[in-house]
Amino acid sequence: MQILFLGTSAGRPTKERNVTSIALSVHGHFNRFWLFDAGEGTQHRLLETKLKLNKLERIFITHLHGDHLYGLPGLLCSRSYFDGAGPLQIYGPTGIRDYIESAFRHSSAHLDYELEVTEIEAGRIIDEPEYQVEVAELDHRILSFGYRIVESPQSGKLDTGKLARLGVQPGPLYGKLKNGEDVTLPTGQMIHSAEVVGPTSPGRIVTILGDTRPCANADSLARVADLLVHEATFAGGMEEKANEYGHSTIIQAAQCASNAQAKKLVVTHFSSRFGEEDVARLVEDASSVFPDTVAAYDYLEVDVLKGNN
C-alpha cells in the first residue's frame, strides 16, 4: 500500500499546492488505485504521475465543499478516453449523485463505462476478502466523513528451508500449505500447514479524514492506524478560528494521532497563509505532541508499512 498526495492546500490552490486529492495504491506499486477527494485540477496532477485513470477503481468523497470535488466531473469524463476503463464506484455524502448527474445533464456528457454512485451512511461500506472500509461522520460545517481502510490479515511466511528438508519441492503444494491446507506427499507423509507457515499478522490500517474539528469519531477511525492522514488547516494557538470554520490546528491533529495510538501522522490541507517555511515550523510544534509527524506536499509518496517499521 502506498499513498500519493496530489493536492495539499486548503480552500484554494497556491503556486506550490493544489487543492485536496489523495491516491491510495492498494494492489501493487501504482497499479490499481483508489482516489480520496478530487479537488479542481486533480486530473492535471495525475498527468505528472504513473497513475492512469483506467486503473482507478474507486473514488471516495469526504464532503461536498468545492475544494474536495470540483475536479470530479472533468476527471470522470476524461476516463472515457482511456482504453480498458472498467466500472467505477464512487462513494460520498448525500448529494453526490445529484451533483454528478447535474454536471453531466447540463454539459451533455457521456461516459463509456459503468458508473455506480453510492451515498453513504456511517458504518462498513466495503467488505471484501482483501479490504474493508468503514466510515464515520466527522464534525465540520457540512456533512463530512472519515474513512478507515483495513487490510485483511496476512498469512504467515512459508518456511521454505524446512520444506526443502522435508523433500517438498516448489510448486502447487507450496500454495496449498500457504493457504492453510495440509498436504500428503507421494510417500504418504503428511505435512501440516501449521508446521511450515508462520503466524498470521494483522493487515495494515490507513485512516483518511475529511475536514473536521476534533471529535470522538476522528479518534475512533484513527485507532492504532499504521498511517493517519489528518487535516491541519491552522497553526497551534488558532483553535478559536479553527473551531469557527470547522477545522483543526496541527496540534489538534497531533493530539488525535496520540489519542488513537496511531503509528504515523501525515498532516495536509494547509491554509494558504502558510508558506513552506511556516509549514516546517508547524511540524516542529506538532512533533512535541506526536513525534512521527510529517507534512504532506504535492506528489509526496508514503509507503504504508505495518507498525511503520
Side-chain angles (χ1 to χ4, degrees):
M1 297 171 77
Q2 186 178 61
I3 277 191
L4 171 63
F5 289 87
L6 298 168
T8 56
S9 180
R12 60 186 177 90
T14 69
K15 290 182 178 180
E16 295 80 20
R17 299 174 181 271
N18 195 40
V19 284
T20 299
S21 186
I22 299 169
L24 173 64
S25 175
V26 291
H27 300 289
H29 183 71
F30 288 148
N31 187 9
R32 292 182 288 166
F33 71 101
W34 299 350
L35 200 62
F36 291 81
D37 288 334
E40 181 183 0
T42 292
Q43 66 171 315
H44 293 273
R45 279 298 201 254
L46 284 168
L47 293 174
E48 302 297 326
T49 75
K50 297 178 181 179
L51 301 175
K52 304 299 181 185
L53 285 176
N54 57 357
K55 299 297 185 180
L56 175 60
E57 295 180 327
R58 293 182 167 117
I59 300 175
F60 301 86
I61 301 298
T62 61
H63 64 293
L64 302 186
H65 276 155
D67 58 323
H68 293 256
L69 87 163
Y70 279 171
L72 185 58
L75 183 150
L76 295 176
C77 290
S78 292
R79 190 172 183 269
S80 288
Y81 292 93
F82 284 75
D83 292 336
L88 177 66
Q89 296 173 301
I90 296 179
Y91 303 84
T94 300
I96 186 64
R97 180 182 291 108
D98 183 55
Y99 172 76
I100 294 170
E101 290 177 350
S102 295
F104 287 173
R105 183 171 62 253
H106 291 294
S107 63
S108 298
H110 174 73
L111 303 183
D112 292 332
Y113 57 88
E114 180 183 348
L115 180 66
E116 179 182 344
V117 180
T118 300
E119 297 188 332
I120 59 176
E121 297 179 350
R124 182 169 293 185
I125 61 171
I126 294 175
D127 192 354
E128 296 180 347
E130 291 180 294
Y131 296 96
Q132 298 79 50
V133 179
E134 300 174 4
V135 301
E137 185 175 342
L138 302 174
D139 184 8
H140 191 42
R141 291 177 293 158
I142 64 172
L143 180 61
S144 180
F145 285 105
Y147 293 89
R148 178 181 172 90
I149 304 96
V150 181
E151 184 182 41
S152 296
Q154 304 298 295
S155 58
K157 185 177 180 181
L158 199 62
D159 189 339
T160 55
K162 185 173 184 179
L163 286 171
R165 292 192 296 272
L166 292 170
V168 183
Q169 299 300 315
L173 294 183
Y174 273 32
K176 291 183 178 181
L177 290 165
K178 181 76 170 174
N179 291 329
E181 298 180 40
D182 298 333
V183 302
T184 302
L185 303 182
T187 61
Q189 180 184 5
M190 175 171 282
I191 308 295
H192 296 281
S193 174
E195 298 174 349
V196 294
V197 179
T200 298
S201 60
R204 293 163 290 185
I205 300 172
V206 176
T207 299
I208 300 176
L209 302 180
D211 292 358
T212 187
R213 302 177 179 93
C215 64
N217 278 350
D219 292 352
S220 179
L221 287 170
R223 179 175 46 83
V224 299
D226 297 288
L227 177 63
L228 166 63
V229 179
H230 197 301
E231 68 130 297
T233 310
F234 294 101
M238 302 179 70
E239 284 75 19
E240 185 175 343
K241 182 175 285 293
N243 183 69
E244 178 183 356
Y245 288 97
H247 288 293
S248 297
T249 69
I250 193 168
I251 299 300
Q252 290 171 329
Q255 288 170 337
C256 174
S258 179
N259 294 343
Q261 298 182 305
K263 309 301 188 301
K264 187 181 188 71
L265 169 66
V266 182
V267 285
T268 186
H269 199 268
F270 299 106
S271 167
S272 59
R273 75 186 68 204
F274 300 121
E276 299 310 301
E277 292 183 359
D278 299 320
V279 169
R281 286 193 292 270
L282 296 181
V283 170
E284 286 185 15
D285 292 342
S287 295
S288 65
V289 177
F290 189 81
D292 199 350
T293 300
V294 174
Y297 54 85
D298 290 20
Y299 301 121
L300 172 67
E301 299 176 10
V302 180
D303 290 321
V304 183
L305 305 177
K306 183 60 192 174
N308 194 34
N309 293 322

